[in-house]
Amino acid sequence: MIMKNNDTLDIMFLGGLFPKELEDEIITKSKGTIQYAANAVQWSLVKGFDKAAGSIKVLTAPLLGAFPVGYKDLFIRSVKWRHAQGADDKAVR
C-alpha cells in the first residue's frame, strides 16, 4: 500500500503475548510450560510494527495452559494497558 502525505495506517495486532502488567501473575499461576518463545516473537513483531508504522493497537489473549491442569485460575482478568506511550491496548481471556 502506498501512503500519501497525511494518510495513516491503523494496525491492530491480535495475538497471545503477555502484557508486562500481567507477566508476574501469569508466571506465578502457571503450572506447566509457559510460552516464552511465542511471547518473545510476538513482542518483537509489535516493536517492529511500532517502528515501521507508528504506535499500533494490541489485542491479546495471553497463551495460558488450560484450567485446572495448566493454570491455577479459571479466568484471568481483562485489563487495559499500554505497550508504548500513547497506545491503547487490551488483554482479554
Side-chain angles (χ1 to χ4, degrees):
M1 173 178 201
I2 298 173
M3 300 190 49
K4 299 178 183 173
N5 299 341
N6 294 328
D7 292 343
T8 60
L9 179 64
D10 290 333
I11 298 175
M12 177 176 277
F13 180 83
L14 304 173
L17 60 81
F18 308 154
K20 302 295 183 197
E21 292 83 350
L22 294 179
E23 196 168 271
D24 289 337
E25 180 180 338
I26 289 170
I27 291 168
T28 302
K29 293 182 178 180
S30 290
K31 294 181 179 181
T33 304
I34 297 174
Q35 299 290 328
Y36 289 114
N39 189 50
V41 166
Q42 291 177 77
W43 271 108
S44 294
L45 288 169
V46 167
K47 289 175 185 176
F49 289 138
D50 274 346
K51 195 172 192 179
S55 184
I56 66 168
K57 295 180 181 182
V58 176
L59 178 61
T60 185
L63 300 170
L64 304 174
F67 172 82
V69 177
Y71 199 72
K72 292 179 182 177
D73 288 346
L74 181 57
F75 300 103
I76 72 163
R77 57 192 165 95
S78 293
V79 295
K80 290 185 179 183
W81 57 287
R82 288 188 159 89
H83 74 277
Q85 186 174 4
D88 183 22
D89 307 319
K90 188 165 186 179
V92 298
R93 187 67 177 177

